[in-house]
């Protein structure tokens, strides 16, 4: 099972991604988590310790995860999207790591139509295919209130509002992209986590 979880800030993407990973016993790839770890510098995820000696496990532009975090920090602090080339490279390397086989849940990526296309190209090279893009649909008011209720350092009111604006600007084209390819499942995210998960599993035809 290869799934992408889409939705605005506070839509429950991370919660549902974690639940689906536990349900299917598959790894989760969260770009937000990876970037926050990189920026904090407190702890690097062991599977993302890149070596320049091996071109398959090294970033072509950013020599280490901490360097990627350094360059990504200004964008995240302002609520802006991290540039495509940084995120595309991050995902390219992550999907080639030893702990990732053929099944995964991807949360926080893609966030632009370009990233969605790049993901398809990458999966073609890996001889994999995306099963479904799951869109958790919630209102703008829910996005803002849920985001402000969290304790993440980048969940400040002006940053949250900027992320919501970017969501409508950048993510809607992604929904159209996957809808054209008949890979989009839309779920009402303004429900309890248990109900959202059950609706997802029903649409995935999982008993």
């Amino acid at each position: 099972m290869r799934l992408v979880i889409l939705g605005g800030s506070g839509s429950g993407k991370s919660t549902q991604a974690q639940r689906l990973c536990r349900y299917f016993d598959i790894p989760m790839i969260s770009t937000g988590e990876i970037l926050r770890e990189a920026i904090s510098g407190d702890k690097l995820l062991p599977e993302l310790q890149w070596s320049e000696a091996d071109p398959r496990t090294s970033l072509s532009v950013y020599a280490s995860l901490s360097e990627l975090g350094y360059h990504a920090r200004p964008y995240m602090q302002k609520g802006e999207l991290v540039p495509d080339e940084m995120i595309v490279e991050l995902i390219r390397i992550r999907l080639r790591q030893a702990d990732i086989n053929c099944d995964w849940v991807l949360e926080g990526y893609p966030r632009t139509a370009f990233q969605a296309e790049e993901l398809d190209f990458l999966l073609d090279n890996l001889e994999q295919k995306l099963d479904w893009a799951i869109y958790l649909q919630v209102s703008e008011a829910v996005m803002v209130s849920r985001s402000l209720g969290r304790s993440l350092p980048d969940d400040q009111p002006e940053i949250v509002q900027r992320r919501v604006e970017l969501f409508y600007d950048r993510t809607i084209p992604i929904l159209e992209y996957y809808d054209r390819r008949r890979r989009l499942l839309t779920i009402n995210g303004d429900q309890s986590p248990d109900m959202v998960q059950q609706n997802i599993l029903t649409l995935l035809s999982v008993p």
Side-chain angles (χ1 to χ4, degrees):
M1 185 71 69
R2 291 178 290 276
L3 304 171
V4 163
I5 308 293
L6 302 170
S9 178
S11 63
K13 297 190 301 296
S14 179
T15 296
Q16 293 305 320
Q18 293 171 15
R19 283 169 167 256
L20 290 171
C21 286
R22 288 195 297 268
Y23 187 91
F24 292 111
D25 192 22
I26 57 180
M28 181 174 94
I29 304 172
S30 169
T31 55
E33 178 183 332
I34 295 170
L35 286 169
R36 277 190 287 271
E37 295 287 3
I39 288 173
S40 70
D42 295 333
K43 177 171 70 74
L44 295 186
L45 301 180
E47 66 270 19
L48 289 174
Q49 299 291 333
W50 290 297
S51 167
E52 289 192 71
D54 186 343
R56 294 172 302 172
T57 57
S58 64
L59 286 168
S60 60
V61 179
Y62 307 99
S64 67
L65 183 60
S66 59
E67 186 176 348
L68 176 65
Y70 172 81
H71 289 282
R73 183 197 303 268
Y75 299 96
M76 295 187 69
Q77 287 178 334
K78 293 183 292 186
E80 301 287 343
L81 293 181
V82 176
D84 283 340
E85 61 270 17
M86 293 187 194
I87 301 299
V88 167
E89 187 71 358
L90 180 73
I91 295 300
R92 184 182 71 81
I93 299 301
R94 186 67 184 90
L95 285 177
R96 294 176 181 271
Q97 293 295 306
D99 66 314
I100 301 296
N101 295 314
C102 290
D103 299 305
W104 38 261
V105 175
L106 188 52
E107 186 264 317
Y109 182 96
R111 291 198 173 185
T112 67
F114 174 79
Q115 291 178 7
E117 291 181 318
E118 287 297 309
L119 178 60
D120 278 346
F121 292 146
L122 172 59
L123 293 179
D124 283 343
N125 290 335
L126 296 175
E127 297 184 348
Q128 297 182 22
K129 187 176 181 180
L130 181 70
D131 290 304
W132 295 104
I134 300 170
Y135 170 45
L136 303 181
Q137 186 176 42
V138 298
S139 68
E140 179 176 344
V142 170
M143 282 190 231
V144 172
S145 64
R146 285 183 179 176
S147 294
L148 294 178
R150 303 183 304 193
S151 57
L152 296 176
D154 54 341
D155 281 334
Q156 302 302 315
E158 63 278 4
I159 296 177
V160 167
Q161 190 59 47
R162 180 57 181 153
R163 285 207 303 263
V164 170
E165 293 170 1
L166 282 171
F167 165 75
Y168 285 110
D169 182 44
R170 304 288 181 85
T171 304
I172 298 304
I174 304 177
L175 304 181
E176 296 170 349
Y177 177 86
Y178 285 124
D179 190 42
R180 288 196 303 270
R181 285 157 179 75
R182 298 183 179 180
R183 286 287 178 270
L184 182 67
L185 299 178
T186 299
I187 304 289
N188 177 10
D190 194 11
Q191 305 176 87
S192 70
D194 287 343
M195 184 64 70
V196 172
Q197 179 183 359
Q198 187 53 57
N199 288 346
I200 291 173
L201 294 176
T202 298
L203 288 182
L204 292 175
S205 300
V206 175

